Amino acid sequence: MTFAALTGWGKCLPPAILSNEDLSTFLDTNDEWIVQRTGMKERRVSHVPGLMLSTVAAKRALACAGVKAEELDLILYGSCSFDEHVPNTASGLQVAIGAKNAAAMDVNTACTSFLYGMSTATAFIKSGAAKKVLVIGVEHISKFMDWQNRNVSVLFGDGAAAAVFEASDQEEGVIAERLHCFADARQSLRVRGKGASYANVGILYGDTRWDFDGQEIFKKAVTGMGEGSVEVLKKAGVTIDDVGVIVPHQANLRIIEAVVKRAGATMDKVHLTVAKYGNMSAATAPVALVEALEEGKVKPGSLVLIPAFGAGLTMSAHLIRWGGRTTPKEVSDAELPPCERSALDMVRELMALKEPHARSEAALMGARFVEAG
Ligand SMILES: CC(C)(COP(=O)(O)OP(=O)(O)OC[C@H]1O[C@@H](n2cnc3c(N)ncnc32)[C@H](O)[C@@H]1OP(=O)(O)O)[C@@H](O)C(=O)NCCC(=O)NCCS
């Protein structure tokens, strides 16, 4: 039987840090509220496009696996803030790393995009359709943020991570998974301003308004991630005590605590990044996984539980059996170009660019999108 081993991992965080204090210089918010309600202290703002973040992450993951880019059969590029839609961004990454023999596909399930990509990579490898697959989770969400809206703008950050999956005859990689979508609640997170519904109606591209029902998402996240975790443990015939480390999606510390309780675990089993990176959507879980590896929290042969959720509302839960290696084969020297500006300056610039277009508000709220049913 063929399995899909996770053999390479790499992350890329843009260096500019936006603190809670920075946010309180232009929003009616404060450090105490953000820390108490979310567990977040700071997040990153990227000075380069998402493709550049993912290129660095991909080169680091390939070096870690000891795999050459030409050996890749498939690239899965998980994001909801693509640099452009046509051509797809996966093809841009193919060029950037020289993966000339690969197929290239974008995946968008919002915050769970990397994890849906991981399931797709595993299925391609298990079916024999591919032997080596690169999966990306990346967001440049600061570009699409409605910065004046404190309900959402304190929650998100930019980042990227990548993983290499290879065919193996050892039982490793994803051993149980649950993918689902609470589509009835899809209205609870909608970014107005992105997509064809908003084209040619007088809206500046990138000027967004977020429909966001945080409490509804909170409830669905706890239910979905909690039940998904229990289900994958059952499918694999193991208990939570057999899990070495839990690497959840990190949208809110309180969500993580509730999910971990439902799964029957304690917080000492969880790798947390929420305080320093916030919610990087598709990049969140893979960045946390890479950090857990770097900090020695993933042991050879151990089980890693990854519950996640995102807009849609999509959910996922994966149980990974780790292989024998938890350190990189090689280390890449890929780096981002230096960043000359502060995160706050970049955010102020984004807000200033949108200011003259405030009149697009009516168009944004009035634009029609078609709902099925
Ligand atoms: C968004 C979230 C942090 C809000 O926390 P909450 O405890 O539900 O807070 P509420 O929405 O009830 O808001 C409480 C009050 O704080 C205010 N508030 C909201 N954002 C604020 C901010 N950044 N600073 C200060 N006050 C804020 C609200 O206006 C509200 O004020 P009111 O009581 O006077 O109306 C929480 O619901 C959450 O984490 N949701 C899920 C996260 C998510 O959806 N992530 C994206 C998908 S992955």
Side-chain angles (χ1 to χ4, degrees):
M1 190 169 174
T2 304
F3 297 91
L6 202 169
T7 58
W9 51 91
K11 69 182 195 303
C12 179
L13 278 311
I17 294 172
L18 188 72
S19 67
N20 291 348
E21 285 76 14
D22 289 333
L23 287 164
S24 66
T25 64
F26 62 90
L27 286 173
D28 179 15
T29 190
N30 57 70
D31 178 60
E32 193 189 357
W33 190 96
I34 302 172
V35 171
Q36 269 183 12
R37 300 293 182 112
T38 71
M40 295 173 189
K41 293 187 177 136
E42 50 191 48
R43 66 288 295 145
R44 302 295 174 95
V45 175
S46 184
H47 62 301
V48 295
L51 180 55
M52 210 176 277
L53 297 176
S54 52
T55 300
V56 173
K59 286 181 176 174
R60 290 175 179 169
L62 287 166
C64 176
V67 167
K68 291 191 174 54
E70 311 89 76
E71 295 174 56
L72 292 173
D73 302 308
L74 177 64
I75 296 171
L76 297 163
Y77 193 99
S79 184
C80 64
S81 53
F82 300 106
D83 295 340
E84 54 187 350
H85 285 274
V86 182
N88 71 0
T89 320
S91 60
L93 184 65
Q94 180 180 351
V95 172
I97 60 175
K100 58 184 182 196
N101 298 310
M105 180 162 86
D106 286 355
V107 179
N108 177 9
T109 56
C111 300
T112 57
S113 299
F114 172 87
L115 299 151
Y116 274 61
M118 181 164 81
S119 284
T120 310
T122 301
F124 266 75
I125 289 173
K126 284 191 164 184
S127 75
K131 285 198 163 51
K132 299 189 188 202
V133 182
L134 177 71
V135 183
I136 302 290
V138 57
E139 299 293 355
H140 193 186
I141 217 152
S142 58
K143 281 271 196 170
F144 293 102
M145 183 45 65
D146 179 1
W147 283 106
Q148 310 281 3
N149 180 355
R150 68 177 184 174
N151 292 324
V152 291
S153 59
V154 306
L155 300 176
F156 292 90
D158 299 331
V164 175
F165 293 82
E166 292 184 73
S168 165
D169 53 10
Q170 305 295 310
E171 192 188 3
E172 56 182 289
V174 176
I175 57 166
E177 69 194 324
R178 163 80 173 142
L179 302 180
H180 184 58
C181 184
F182 299 104
D184 289 350
R186 67 192 290 272
Q187 305 282 4
S188 56
L189 206 180
R190 160 167 280 125
V191 180
R192 291 174 181 265
K194 290 187 73 184
S197 298
Y198 307 95
N200 301 316
V201 289
I203 299 167
L204 173 75
Y205 192 68
D207 190 3
T208 59
R209 300 292 180 278
W210 290 48
D211 292 351
F212 185 77
D213 183 346
Q215 291 186 358
E216 172 70 2
I217 303 167
F218 193 112
K219 281 186 253 167
K220 287 280 190 309
V222 171
T223 310
M225 292 165 80
E227 288 176 0
S229 298
V230 171
E231 191 175 328
V232 291
L233 293 172
K234 198 171 161 201
K235 269 188 191 171
V238 298
T239 73
I240 193 70
D241 295 335
D242 298 315
V243 172
V245 61
I246 303 173
V247 183
H249 179 56
Q250 323 237 346
N252 188 317
L253 181 59
R254 292 184 293 137
I255 293 176
I256 297 171
E257 287 168 345
V259 168
V260 167
K261 198 169 164 195
R262 281 186 179 222
T266 48
M267 287 299 285
D268 54 340
K269 227 173 220 194
V270 183
H271 182 72
L272 290 173
T273 57
V274 65
K276 53 185 180 176
Y277 303 138
N279 180 357
M280 297 173 288
S281 181
T284 310
V287 165
L289 178 61
V290 174
E291 275 204 3
L293 278 149
E294 289 169 347
E295 293 179 19
K297 293 182 181 175
V298 180
K299 308 288 182 208
S302 67
L303 290 176
V304 181
L305 175 64
I306 311 180
F309 74 101
L313 298 173
T314 59
M315 68 75 60
S316 61
H318 290 87
L319 192 65
I320 295 179
R321 167 78 66 195
W322 210 263
R325 184 169 57 80
T326 55
T327 52
K329 279 191 177 168
E330 295 156 31
V331 176
S332 164
D333 59 4
E335 292 289 348
L336 292 177
C339 177
E340 312 291 348
R341 287 172 300 160
S342 73
L344 186 54
D345 281 349
M346 285 189 271
V347 169
R348 285 193 184 284
E349 190 179 298
L350 282 166
M351 287 194 291
L353 287 170
K354 290 171 189 179
E355 198 57 35
H357 295 267
R359 65 181 178 278
S360 66
E361 174 95 29
L364 270 165
M365 301 315 283
R368 298 214 169 268
F369 37 79
V370 179
E371 291 287 353

